């Protein structure tokens, strides 16, 4: 089946570029989208050859003891010690064990969401996945409020919460976590060295303040497995973005996957400026060739999967 699926997923053709500097394939929206359930099943089966979201979404308590040493996934020479606090927050079983949903939303953070009016539609899905603790309340009309699963790269603590160095940043962060309301907080703590201080502070805060979040920490093999899946489909993505990771995990437990907020381009199809994030002033240079991701290639792939009915990508206003 490998080749069969390869030919289904392959992105064909050379990239023709418009005068605005935007690949032409972006300018055609596919009308009348319908889910292609047999393709959805085939992709789920194919992804399962590389990873199983039920298992790889998080390590569990029984995987480690406090004091164990973990090698960082993307920097094997460096290590991290499993602290008591971290160990106490590892789930006993996978937060996705036996989960099945009819429809899921994976919400990326592109400024394309601004003025989209997509909040209500996003919140109407059975399971809503969000990335990097993006703010919701001030943008509810466009992005919604519901979260069942929220990712948090350790770098967010520095970037958006001042490294939790002063009391007001800390309170703001605690308020944000309170909004998660017993849903899953997914922290990639073992990817690269650098954020361990922040992860430990967050973990301690969750314990001390008795915050009701269900913490999860991706398995050590997840990123390699996701990369392997896409690579056998001839899509070479060295560091899958959080959004692509979430889509790939969602194939396991969602029958229909709807993506919002995926638009890694500084202009929309009409030439209007699109912010990199809907909520801050971060610039696109952040993920230029120097950055770790290949979001435009990811987008092209997702767009192709949209046109085949494997997922639904919304990049304009919601009805
Ligand atoms: N995204 C997008 N277009 C943008 C911004 C984000 O398609 N202009 C998608 C990407 O898949 C990204 C996800 O939305 O992974 C979440 O966005 P963000 O929090 O900005 O992720 P980054 O921190 O940029 O990247 P990552 O967490 O993947 O390292």
């Amino acid at each position: 089946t490998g080749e069969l699926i390869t030919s289904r997923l392959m992105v064909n053709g050379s990239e023709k570029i418009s005068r605005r500097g935007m690949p032409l394939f972006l300018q055609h929206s596919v009308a009348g989208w319908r889910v292609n359930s047999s393709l959805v099943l085939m992709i789920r089966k194919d992804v399962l050859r590389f990873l199983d979201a039920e298992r790889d979404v998080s390590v569990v308590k029984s995987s480690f003891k406090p004091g164990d040493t973990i090698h960082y996934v993307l920097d094997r020479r460096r290590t991290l010690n499993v602290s008591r606090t971290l160990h106490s927050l590892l789930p006993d079983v996978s937060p996705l064990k036996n989960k099945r949903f009819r429809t899921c939303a994976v919400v990326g953070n592109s400024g394309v969401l601004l003025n989209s009016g997509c909040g209500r539609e996003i919140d109407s899905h059975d399971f809503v996945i969000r990335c990097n603790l993006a703010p919701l309340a001030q943008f509810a009309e466009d992005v919604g409020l519901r979260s069942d699963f929220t990712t948090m790269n350790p770098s967010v603590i520095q970037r958006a919460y001042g490294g939790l160095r002063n009391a007001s940043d800390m309170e703001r962060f605690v308020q944000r976590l309170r909004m998660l309301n017993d849903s899953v907080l997914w922290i990639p703590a073992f990817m690269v060295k650098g954020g361990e201080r922040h992860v430990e502070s967050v973990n301690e805060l969750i314990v001390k303040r008795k915050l009701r979040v269900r913490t999860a920490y991706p398995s050590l093999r997840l990123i390699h497995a996701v990369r392997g899946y896409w690579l056998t489909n001839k899509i070479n993505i060295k560091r899958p973005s959080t959004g692509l990771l979430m889509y790939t995990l969602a194939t396991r437990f969602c029958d229909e996957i709807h993506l919002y907020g995926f638009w890694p381009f500084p202009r929309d199809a009409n030439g209007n400026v699109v912010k990199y994030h809907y909520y801050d002033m971060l610039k696109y240079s952040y993920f230029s060739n120097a950055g770790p991701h290949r979001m435009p290639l990811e987008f092209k792939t997702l767009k192709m999967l949209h046109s085949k009915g494997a997922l639904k990508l919304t990049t304009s206003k919601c009805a």
Side-chain angles (χ1 to χ4, degrees), residues 48-68:
L48 268 167
R49 290 169 43 217
F50 291 83
L51 68 140
D52 182 351
E54 284 197 358
R55 188 189 59 217
D56 290 315
V57 71
S58 185
V59 292
V60 290
K61 249 199 190 66
S62 57
S63 326
F64 299 110
K65 302 183 297 306
D68 277 356

Side-chain angles (χ1 to χ4, degrees), residues 1 10 29-31 48 81 138 159 202 209 228 230 240 251 257 277-278 292 295:
T1 52
M10 257 191 36
S29 72
V30 184
L48 268 167
N81 278 330
Q138 314 90 293
R159 203 194 303 147
V202 170
R209 303 282 193 106
W230 290 105
T251 60
I257 302 175
H277 281 160
Y278 67 82
M295 285 188 199

Side-chain angles (χ1 to χ4, degrees), residues 295-309:
M295 285 188 199
L297 170 65
E298 291 185 3
F299 184 87
K300 185 174 177 181
T301 308
L302 295 170
K303 180 93 181 161
M304 182 272 303
L305 288 169
H306 166 100
S307 69
K308 292 178 188 294

Side-chain angles (χ1 to χ4, degrees), residues 83-101:
S83 70
R84 280 194 186 282
T85 317
L86 170 59
H87 190 259
S88 74
L89 289 174
L90 299 181
D92 293 316
V93 291
S94 161
L96 296 180
K97 191 159 178 59
N98 297 328
K99 296 281 190 234
R100 291 293 172 276
F101 302 102

Side-chain angles (χ1 to χ4, degrees), residues 22-23 25-26 263-268 274-275 284 287 296 299:
M22 183 183 297
F25 72 89
L26 295 177
W263 186 267
F265 307 102
R267 304 236 167 219
D268 69 13
V274 180
K275 290 176 68 185
Y284 280 86
F287 77 101
F299 184 87

Side-chain angles (χ1 to χ4, degrees), residues 108-110 131-132 153 241-243 261-264 276-277 286 293 295:
N109 286 332
S110 162
C131 302
N132 286 322
N153 282 350
S241 73
T242 303
F262 284 68
W263 186 267
Y276 178 63
H277 281 160
Y286 173 64
H293 298 308
M295 285 188 199

